[in-house]
Amino acid sequence: MNDHSQDQTRPAGPAKGTRTSYYIAKLIGGLIRRPVLSLTAIFAFSALCLWVGMGLDIRTNMEDLFPDSTPHVVRAREVREKLGFSSQVKFIIGSPDKDANIRFATDLADRIRQMPDIKSVELRTDISFFEKNALLFLDMDELQKLKDRVKRSVKKAVKDELDAPTADGNAAAPTDEDLADEEDLDEDFGDGNAKAAPAAPAAKGTSVLAEDEKAVEDEIPTEEELKETYGLDRFSEYSIAKDGTFISLKVYPTINPNRLAESKIMLAGFEKTITELNPASYHPDMKWAMEGDYHKKIEEMGVITKDLTNSTILSAVAIILLLVVFFGNIRTIIFVLVPLCVGIAWTMAFAELTIGYLNLMTAFIVSILFGLGVDFSIHGVSRYMEERTHGLPVKDALISGLSKLGKPMFSAAMTTAVTFFALALFEFRGFSQFGIIAGVGVMICLGVVILVLPPLVVLVDRYLPERTPSFGTRLGKLPFFSRTLKGARWTFVVTMVCLVALTVGLKDLVLMDPDMSKVMTKTKTTTNDFIKQYRAKVERQ
């Protein structure tokens, strides 16, 4: 009997003396006896895990990356407890009619104040204090110039009164009392030409005095002149454009902007309120828009979600292409991907039940598990296919291949998981939470391969039997990957060259950059023309 015949007739099962292999063989034997029931229970549980995992929120707040005892986090929360959230929603309203804009903004503010989770609405501002005391905030140079101008005005008025002609047409001779009053005036006011201490030149249009207008210098400034010169006429109780075409109001909700679901419900409620008010009933050309912190958070989350989706799709496509090259048939690709997807679903459920959310670091855990968890599926399928090429039937090949591979795969999974679990010692949650989820995820992916692959293979083979079992790799046909000494040398040389090239930038990764703003997601806010016009007329006036 040749060697091939001996391979075909050798008994299946684990090697004697390996306890781990024995128990894995017993488990596989029980699963493949009732493959339909086994897969039904596993897929039902996986569906439940997927539903639980779908509830995972992605929090982009930097506070969620640091321990609760961090001084900055403690102070920030104390401030919020007293003042609430400072995040706002800004409503921008515009039409050619100023009065219509004010009426619509007032009605909208009254409606929003009656809505839940609203801390305050800011439409009208009490400006009486600024109108009364604005001149008290002038700089010393301007105050000195005003003082000198008043002095000259008073002295000029006194001098004009003293020089006023009498009934006979001659100036009245000053009496002793008049001379005493003039001396007192000089003593109190000086000569009215005292120079202010050197100061930086005032901005254009901010000084009352005009050096080339002597007549104006001798007059006390009127109220209208002061308002125009110092911008007091620009004070308005509304945030409104000068021509009245735009007005805005600010709403301060009590909802945490990081809770996107609640934020979206609130914004939808605002839109419904505006629709009920019917802006066109105030003016046919009435327009409105919303912007603010809540919109930025939603847009930021949209960018993160898009990146997560793209990275997951890219990982899946890359893995499928490699599987096609390595195995060369769809059957084995299904055997690899199904356990992997089940393992990821279980990991997401674990993250939801233990931590409850994903942060900026753990948000990409799905892509990470695609690369880490697929190893166990590939090893399991490879061992099964190898046993099949030796002539073993499906069930015996599963028991023999997976049971003997159980201990090595368990050791590999444990070393990887322990490395991730070491990150749990960090107080920085970006590392600790990632280590916990990734470590548990690796162990789950290993366990799922033992639970899902055997009944899945048996069930597929029952309805689509494999005619000619084969195992090989398309890459093996390439000279570069051949097992010759020449190929090994070239492989070693190329690997070392790539390693040296990759270590060039290693020095830049030694120190950790403490600037956490670089971690934040960069968004590209799209501003429509209506909002741009508002900013040009109101915020920059």
Side-chain angles (χ1 to χ4, degrees):
M1 185 178 291
N2 55 27
D3 294 338
H4 181 69
S5 300
Q6 292 177 355
D7 289 338
Q8 287 181 334
T9 58
R10 64 192 179 99
K16 295 182 179 180
T18 56
R19 187 179 299 272
T20 302
S21 299
Y22 173 78
Y23 287 118
I24 292 177
K26 295 288 287 184
L27 175 62
I28 294 174
L31 291 170
I32 61 180
R33 276 195 295 270
R34 297 179 177 84
V36 175
L37 179 61
S38 300
L39 283 181
T40 301
I42 292 173
F43 288 158
F45 181 73
S46 300
L48 177 62
C49 290
L50 181 61
W51 178 77
V52 173
M54 293 292 289
L56 273 172
D57 292 330
I58 300 177
R59 299 183 184 179
T60 60
N61 193 346
M62 297 303 296
E63 290 182 16
D64 294 318
L65 296 178
F66 295 92
D68 294 333
S69 58
T70 304
H72 295 291
V73 175
V74 173
R75 285 195 289 269
R77 291 179 178 176
E78 289 177 350
V79 170
R80 278 201 301 269
E81 288 178 359
K82 296 180 179 179
L83 303 179
F85 291 99
S86 60
S87 302
Q88 62 176 265
V89 178
K90 178 182 287 187
F91 291 84
I92 301 171
I93 299 167
S95 77
D97 190 342
K98 176 180 179 180
D99 294 334
N101 294 338
I102 294 177
R103 288 198 312 272
F104 179 59
T106 302
D107 293 344
L108 178 59
D110 293 339
R111 288 282 192 95
I112 293 178
R113 287 190 183 97
Q114 299 175 6
M115 299 176 66
D117 302 320
I118 301 299
K119 180 175 65 176
S120 63
V121 177
E122 182 181 307
L123 176 61
R124 301 179 62 178
T125 304
D126 185 5
I127 61 173
S128 58
F129 173 84
F130 300 100
E131 291 179 329
K132 181 180 179 180
N133 302 296
L135 293 178
L136 298 178
F137 297 94
L138 295 178
D139 57 39
M140 292 300 297
D141 185 47
E142 293 296 327
L143 289 174
Q144 185 63 51
K145 290 179 181 180
L146 281 175
K147 180 181 178 181
D148 293 342
R149 184 168 176 176
V150 172
K151 288 180 181 180
R152 287 192 295 271
S153 299
V154 174
K155 289 195 67 175
K156 181 177 182 301
V158 173
K159 186 175 184 301
D160 291 344
E161 184 176 350
L162 293 176
D163 294 342
T166 59
D168 57 4
N170 298 320
T175 63
D176 294 338
E177 183 177 357
D178 293 334
L179 293 174
D181 291 341
E182 187 172 0
E183 291 177 357
D184 292 339
L185 187 63
D186 290 335
E187 181 179 354
D188 293 338
F189 289 92
D191 59 2
N193 293 311
K195 294 184 178 180
K204 184 178 180 181
T206 60
S207 176
V208 174
L209 299 179
E211 300 298 337
D212 58 344
E213 297 182 3
K214 185 64 178 175
V216 176
E217 290 181 358
D218 295 335
E219 297 179 359
I220 297 178
T222 63
E223 181 179 358
E224 289 74 15
E225 183 182 356
L226 290 175
K227 286 184 177 181
E228 181 179 358
T229 302
Y230 295 105
L232 302 183
D233 57 338
R234 293 197 296 267
F235 284 118
S236 174
E237 59 183 347
Y238 298 102
S239 178
I240 192 169
K242 286 184 177 180
D243 57 4
T245 55
F246 289 94
I247 189 173
S248 67
L249 66 93
K250 297 179 181 179
V251 177
Y252 295 89
T254 59
I255 296 175
N256 187 336
N258 292 303
R259 300 188 177 277
L260 299 184
E262 297 179 16
S263 299
K264 291 179 180 179
I265 294 175
M266 179 188 66
L267 296 179
F270 290 158
E271 294 183 1
K272 181 180 178 182
T273 300
I274 293 177
T275 302
E276 293 174 350
L277 283 174
N278 190 11
S281 64
Y282 293 83
H283 192 279
D285 296 330
M286 182 71 70
K287 297 180 180 179
W288 65 273
M290 277 193 299
E291 64 174 1
D293 302 316
Y294 293 86
H295 293 79
K296 291 180 181 178
K297 282 292 182 181
I298 293 174
E299 181 184 5
E300 185 180 79
M301 184 54 58
V303 173
I304 293 177
T305 303
K306 181 180 178 181
D307 291 341
L308 289 175
T309 302
N310 292 339
S311 64
T312 302
I313 294 175
L314 180 61
S315 300
V317 171
I319 290 173
I320 291 174
L321 290 177
L322 290 175
L323 293 176
V324 170
V325 172
F326 188 79
F327 290 110
N329 62 79
I330 298 177
R331 176 189 296 265
T332 51
I333 295 175
I334 295 175
F335 293 161
V336 170
L337 293 182
V338 171
L340 176 61
C341 294
V342 171
I344 292 176
W346 290 18
T347 304
M348 292 298 98
F350 166 80
E352 169 65 19
L353 296 176
T354 54
I355 299 175
Y357 65 92
L358 299 176
N359 57 45
L360 289 173
M361 302 294 186
T362 59
F364 291 89
I365 192 63
V366 174
S367 300
I368 299 298
L369 288 179
F370 257 109
L372 293 175
V374 74
D375 292 346
F376 308 115
S377 296
I378 292 176
H379 289 316
V381 173
S382 298
R383 286 292 293 123
Y384 161 73
M385 296 298 296
E386 186 177 356
E387 294 293 335
R388 287 285 286 145
T389 58
H390 291 157
L392 292 179
V394 173
K395 296 181 180 180
D396 292 340
L398 287 168
I399 295 175
S400 177
L402 296 182
S403 63
K404 293 177 181 178
L405 192 58
K407 189 173 182 178
M409 283 202 305
F410 180 79
S411 300
M414 280 301 299
T415 55
T416 305
V418 168
T419 303
F420 283 120
F421 287 145
L423 297 177
L425 300 177
F426 285 82
E427 293 186 359
F428 182 66
R429 291 177 178 172
F431 294 154
S432 60
Q433 292 181 358
F434 179 84
I436 293 173
I437 297 176
V440 173
V442 167
M443 300 303 298
I444 288 177
C445 288
L446 169 60
V448 166
V449 170
I450 304 299
L451 294 175
V452 176
L453 184 58
L456 178 64
V457 171
V458 171
L459 193 61
V460 171
D461 188 73
R462 177 182 297 178
Y463 295 100
L464 297 173
E466 189 175 14
R467 297 179 180 178
T468 306
S470 61
F471 176 74
T473 170
R474 301 292 179 85
L475 296 179
K477 299 178 182 180
L478 299 177
F480 179 78
F481 291 96
S482 61
R483 298 182 179 180
T484 63
L485 180 60
K486 182 179 180 181
R489 288 174 179 173
W490 277 107
T491 302
F492 177 77
V493 171
V494 172
T495 302
M496 295 305 297
V497 170
C498 294
L499 181 62
V500 173
L502 293 174
T503 55
V504 173
L506 186 62
K507 57 182 178 64
D508 298 329
L509 301 177
V510 176
L511 298 178
M512 179 177 177
D513 192 344
D515 186 4
M516 297 306 299
S517 62
K518 296 181 180 179
V519 182
M520 300 303 293
T521 304
K522 304 298 182 182
T523 58
K524 298 180 180 180
T525 304
T526 303
T527 304
N528 56 39
D529 294 337
F530 180 71
I531 296 179
K532 291 179 180 178
Q533 293 174 9
Y534 160 79
R535 291 176 178 172
K537 285 193 173 184
V538 179
E539 295 183 353
R540 300 175 185 175
Q541 69 181 3

